[in-house]
Every structure is written in structure tokens, then in C-alpha cells.
Amino acid sequence: MPHIAVVGSGPSGVYTAQSLLQQAGLPDVRVDVLDRLPTPYGLVRYGVAPDHEKIKSLQNNLRAVLQDERIRFFGGVEVGPALPPAKLLELYHAVVYCVGAATDRRLDVPGEDLPGSWSATDFVAWYSAHPDARDDGYVRQVRSAVTIGIGNVAVDVTRMLARGATELAPTDMPQAALGVLAGSEVRDVFMVGRRGPTGARFTTKELRELGTLPDTEVVVDERELALDPGYLDATALPAVVRRNVAVLREWAARPRTGAGRRIHLRFFLRPVEIVEGHGRVAGVRFERTRPNGLGGVSGTGTYEEIGAQLVLRSVGYRGVPLQGLPFAPERGTVPHAAGRVLRGGLVSPGEYVAGWIKRGPTGVIGTNRPCAKETVTSLAEDAPALVHKELAGDPLAGLIAAGVRPVEWDGWRAIERAEAELGRSLGRGSVKIPDWAGLLNAARGGPGA
Ligand SMILES: Cc1cc2nc3c(=O)[nH]c(=O)nc-3n(C[C@H](O)[C@H](O)[C@H](O)COP(=O)(O)OP(=O)(O)OC[C@H]3O[C@@H](n4cnc5c(N)ncnc54)[C@H](O)[C@@H]3O)c2cc1C
Ligand SMILES: NC(=O)c1ccc[n+]([C@@H]2O[C@H](COP(=O)([O-])OP(=O)(O)OC[C@H]3O[C@@H](n4cnc5c(N)ncnc54)[C@H](OP(=O)(O)O)[C@@H]3O)[C@@H](O)[C@H]2O)c1
């Protein structure tokens, strides 16, 4: 009976577990899904924006998979120095690493670490109640904010900065973050791309939503859009780019409404410095760019500064090395061949990867399904050789002997009940618990549970 560990319970981990159950060639398989957090679902819980309730509800699909009797969830189990990959290989026939991309890419410009300059990763973690998040108030005493990057995460954080209390209160956002955002005096948010509108990575549905926010107008300058040859004639470009261009053209033609908040979409501006004033962020200095004819942009030597008290750098996520697993630092991924982990260029028997740690930090939730399937197909091909290994017994006993005290499925259900109860006490729907102590107390029936 093959016993497989899946490390990480985000979409790629859950789709891997599901594929393992469905895979011919792995009859009677047993799967343990381990996560360093006491809560499952990865970025679906801690990344997808709280006001996107429909996408958030995908958690119900992931839940249905994890509730299968052949799967066990072990939360609060971090693979790392205390529980190294070599130990897991002793306990299981195979291990699939689905650990995502937990950190942010750096901009590498002066001033990046000034107070008031944050990665979108930090800001998202805070409003999503990730227990490792830092609380800095973010928008306190901020009237103008700059978001660097024009991908979907930049759109998310820009939208969250422009949303009002009425729209955020029904979400499961933690109470402290709701209080801070409800008191926000942010009036202008600048979302700035180094490329033109046809080089943006956001998708049209997400872009269009920016134009639907109450008491907020989107400001776009037709002259800046027109610096992009593709904007003037988008016919040969992919459908998503043509749709984005159509939305931007419509906004550029709209008269100003005098709304209380403004989202300024800016293009062809490359950040060169986060500017300091009184010891913290005072703005961002950009160099104007232009298309270089090779699909990229180059600098023009002219500069512009946008004043801001908050900067959110949304230039992509990045995988972190897991001690004991190989890592390709230039890509931030684990080297692999069709999901099989490569050590020194050779397949490492019994070790696999799926999701963002395999492909890099791009792709929507659904992209992880075929990615997981490819990995599981490789694992099933290798299974006859792997299942020869004699395991010492139930891997849970081995985990406990290694000093681990997992939060099992019942513990997670207790967290869900505690969050529903917290919401009731606040007159809201379910409200997330934002700290380790609160989560573990709830899971283990401790004080306040
Ligand atoms: C801010 C943001 C918003 C997004 N919004 C959307 C959206 O609206 N719609 C959409 O389709 N896609 C969205 N995406 C993309 C989507 O979230 C990703 O495609 C998906 O989550 C990647 O899945 P994953 O399982 O590889 O990683 P993750 O979801 O990050 O899961 C990784 C899991 O591994 C665990 N882990 C990490 N290290 C260890 C360790 N050492 N030991 C044990 N466990 C560990 C983590 O705790 C986590 O639970 C968004 C992404 C971001 C960043
Ligand atoms: N609602 C949704 O479906 C949703 C929501 C959130 C996230 N996601 C998905 O999650 C994935 C990650 O999203 P993401 O927004 O983090 O990444 P992304 O799509 O890769 O976008 C990153 C942005 O940062 C810019 N950038 C990178 N380095 C830069 C630098 N040094 N200076 C200035 N700009 C820089 C990129 O510009 P260049 O192109 O010029 O490099 C790009 O505009 C994506 O696949 C996304 O679609 C989906």
C-alpha cells in the first residue's frame, strides 16, 4: 500500500492528493497532506483577496478532497531543519513538495527598505490574517499610495486600498485590518507599470473591476497609452490584451467625475528610487521608458516623481529554498524533470514537486491542476520501484517521534468554528484569527477556543 506525503496544502498540494487517489497504478494509496500552518488551502486562504468571495469559495472544493478517508491533514508541520526531507523519505514511499513561493521579488533600488515601503506579499499577508504577517498600520496617515507592477496582485492590492468599510465588513478579513482600512484616508492610488498597456500582466475581469468601485474613479491619460504602438493597433495582439486595451480606451475617454478616491493607471515608468522624507517614504522616482522594439522597454533619461506615503512593491513572488532540497536560485524553483526532483542533474528517487515551487510564481489556481497531474503521472510510473521500500509503520508515529504535534482535520474544523464564533461576536460573518496562539488554541481546545 503506497503511503505518500504531500508537503503543502495549497491548490497544488490538494490537486496532487486528488490526482494520487484517481491515478490508475496506485491502488489503495494513502496520502498525508502536511502544512506548516495549522490551516489548509495555502494562497486560496492567504492570498485570494477577501472581497473575491466566489474564488474564495473554491476552498469548499479543496475541502471535499481533503475530507476523503484516504487522506489525512497534518497542519502545523514544517518541513525544514527539525523535520528534514531525508526524514520524510524514511517515513513515506514518496514525498511531493508543493510549498509554493512564499516571499517577494526585490526591486533592488535605493530606498526599498524605508519605513512605508512594503512588498505586496506583506500587505496581502496582513489583510489575509496570515499568522506570520507584520502589522504596521500600512495606510495610517497615508493619502497617496504607489503600487509598483501591473499584474493581478497589483490590481488586488490597489483595489483593497480603494475599498471602503461597507464593502470590506462582510468579508472574513481580520478585525484589526478591517479597522485600519475602514479608517483609511487614502485618496490617490497610483498603479505603475514599466511597460505599456499591451505589456500588462493583469487580466480584463480584474482590470475592469477597478472601474466599479464606489466613489472611486479610474484616471488614465490617453497620451501615455498612445506611447504604446500596440495600443494604437491591437488587432494582431492576444485577445486578453485587446480586451484590456478596450477597457483602458473607454476609461481614457470618460469625463472626470470628482469621486472621493482616484486610481491612476500609469505606464512606461520604471522605478529607480524610493524617495525618503523625514525618515520614511515620501515618493517614488521613475524613469520614463519606451518600447525598444524587441518586446521590452528601455530608459529615456527623463524622470518623474510621484509623491506617496505608502509604496507597495508588487513585482512578483519568489520561492524560498527548503533546507535539504535542491534549489535553483535564479528561478526560485526546485529543479525537476516532469515533476521528479533532480539532485545534481539526476533524478532523486521518491522526491517530487508541483505548483509554484515547480513552475515559478505564475498561473491561476486552475493552472496547478494539470501541473499536479503531470507530477503524479511521473510518480505512478516510478511506483513499482518505490513501494518495495519497507516502512517502519504508520508515518504519523514517526512524525510524533520526530517531535511534531500535528493539528489534524478535527483541529482545523475547530479553528473554523472559532472563526465563525468570533464573527458572530463582532456582528460579522466568519472572521479569521490572525495569530499563531489564537489558531493553536482554537485547534487544541485551549483558552478562548
Ligand atoms: C496575492 C495572490 C492572490 C491570488 N489570487 C488568485 C485568484 O483570485 N484567482 C486565482 O485563480 N489565482 C490567484 N492567485 C494564484 C494562486 O493563488 C496560485 O496559483 C496558487 O495558490 C499556487 O498554489 P501552490 O499550492 O503552488 O502554492 P500555495 O498556495 O502558496 O501553497 C503552498 C503551501 O505550502 C505550505 N508550506 C510552505 N512551506 C512549507 C514547509 N516548509 N513545510 C510545510 N508546508 C509548507 C504553505 O503554508 C502553503 O499552505 C493568487 C496569488 C496571489 C499571490
Ligand atoms: N484574480 C486572479 O485571477 C489573480 C489574482 C492575483 C494573482 N493571480 C495570479 O498570480 C500570479 C502572480 O501574480 P503577480 O501579479 O504577483 O505576478 P505577475 O503577473 O508576474 O506580475 C508582476 C508584475 O511586476 C512587474 N515587475 C517585475 N519586476 C519589476 C521591476 N523590477 N520593476 C517594475 N516592475 C516589475 C512585471 O512587469 P514586467 O512584465 O515588465 O516584468 C509585472 O507587471 C499571476 O499568474 C496572476 O495572474 C491571479
Side-chain angles (χ1 to χ4, degrees):
M1 190 187 286
H3 209 142
I4 317 278
V6 173
V7 183
S9 64
S12 63
V14 178
Y15 291 142
T16 296
Q18 185 176 37
S19 277
L20 285 166
L21 297 189
Q22 293 167 346
Q23 180 69 40
L26 290 175
D28 303 322
V29 69
R30 292 281 183 274
V31 184
D32 291 345
V33 178
L34 281 47
D35 203 293
R36 63 179 290 270
L37 298 176
T39 54
Y41 314 138
L43 283 169
V44 184
R45 180 174 159 93
Y46 289 117
V48 171
D51 60 336
H52 278 176
E53 276 151 21
K54 196 160 165 221
I55 307 174
K56 281 270 181 220
S57 71
L58 273 173
Q59 290 178 97
N60 294 331
N61 303 20
L62 304 182
R63 171 204 309 276
V65 175
L66 292 182
Q67 279 179 326
D68 189 291
E69 60 183 13
R70 292 163 289 177
I71 296 181
R72 298 186 293 190
F73 172 69
F74 295 151
V77 180
E78 177 155 7
V79 179
L83 182 65
K87 180 75 192 168
L88 283 187
L89 262 190
E90 280 172 27
L91 300 176
Y92 292 94
H93 290 112
V95 187
V96 189
Y97 291 92
C98 304
V99 292
T103 191
D104 54 290
R105 282 180 53 189
R106 301 275 301 169
L107 266 183
D108 288 330
V109 298
E112 185 162 13
D113 297 315
L114 280 171
S117 165
W118 292 95
S119 69
T121 318
D122 290 319
F123 186 60
V124 167
W126 171 70
Y127 68 59
S128 302
H130 194 292
D132 292 340
R134 284 170 292 167
D135 180 0
D136 185 58
Y138 292 94
V139 298
R140 278 195 198 108
Q141 299 184 324
V142 174
R143 291 190 68 82
S144 174
V146 167
T147 304
I148 298 172
I150 44 175
N152 277 330
V153 172
V155 174
D156 272 353
V157 298
T158 297
R159 192 180 67 254
M160 292 303 289
L161 286 173
R163 281 249 186 248
T166 326
E167 303 137 69
L168 295 176
T171 71
D172 63 2
M173 168 179 282
Q175 187 68 3
L178 174 66
V180 171
L181 289 176
S184 161
E185 292 180 354
V186 173
R187 291 293 166 262
D188 292 277
V189 187
F190 297 83
M191 187 170 97
V192 187
R194 61 182 173 181
R195 293 173 195 265
T198 67
R201 303 249 187 120
F202 45 62
T203 39
T204 315
K205 185 162 161 277
E206 283 62 33
L207 175 68
R208 196 176 273 136
E209 193 180 1
L210 293 179
T212 66
L213 308 181
D215 195 25
T216 302
E217 65 176 321
V218 182
V219 182
V220 201
D221 186 338
E222 177 88 37
R223 286 165 303 180
E224 195 165 62
L225 299 177
L227 297 174
D228 189 335
Y231 174 77
L232 301 172
D233 179 12
T235 43
L237 296 172
V240 58
V241 177
R242 289 204 304 275
R243 286 195 294 266
N244 287 349
V245 163
V247 171
L248 292 167
R249 183 165 284 135
E250 189 193 317
W251 284 339
R254 264 190 206 169
R256 297 286 291 269
T257 64
R261 283 185 170 136
R262 290 158 294 278
I263 295 174
H264 308 259
L265 301 187
R266 301 292 313 270
F267 297 96
F268 291 118
L269 291 172
R270 181 171 75 89
V272 291
E273 183 183 354
I274 310 229
V275 179
E276 189 246 281
H278 303 291
R280 50 174 298 123
V281 163
V284 186
R285 186 169 144 84
F286 293 95
E287 182 181 12
R288 168 67 69 199
T289 61
R290 64 169 159 240
N292 62 9
L294 302 165
V297 289
S298 39
T300 61
T302 52
Y303 295 86
E304 173 177 342
E305 189 173 319
I306 300 178
Q309 301 79 47
L310 171 69
V311 174
L312 296 177
R313 308 174 316 262
S314 183
V315 296
Y317 279 58
R318 186 174 164 73
V320 289
L322 202 158
Q323 196 176 316
L325 263 197
F327 190 70
E330 64 290 353
R331 297 199 62 230
T333 54
V334 171
H336 72 95
R340 295 177 176 95
V341 170
L342 297 177
R343 288 182 184 271
L346 299 175
V347 168
S348 173
E351 293 185 304
Y352 301 84
V353 276
W356 276 16
I357 194 63
K358 170 183 171 190
R359 308 190 313 275
T362 58
V364 292
I365 293 165
T367 319
N368 298 293
R369 192 190 277 276
C371 173
K373 176 91 187 122
E374 179 194 56
T375 296
V376 169
T377 304
S378 296
L379 192 156
E381 282 168 19
D382 304 343
L386 298 172
V387 295
H388 279 309
K389 182 166 72 183
E390 279 280 316
L391 301 185
D394 183 349
L396 177 58
L399 289 173
I400 291 170
V404 166
R405 198 176 156 213
V407 169
E408 298 192 43
W409 191 252
D410 284 350
W412 157 238
R413 297 307 302 264
I415 292 174
E416 284 191 302
R417 285 194 300 278
E419 293 189 334
E421 184 49 43
L422 174 62
R424 263 193 296 280
S425 72
L426 295 166
R428 299 174 56 197
S430 187
V431 170
K432 281 176 169 170
I433 298 172
D435 60 298
W436 279 99
L439 289 168
L440 292 174
N441 278 337
R444 297 187 169 137

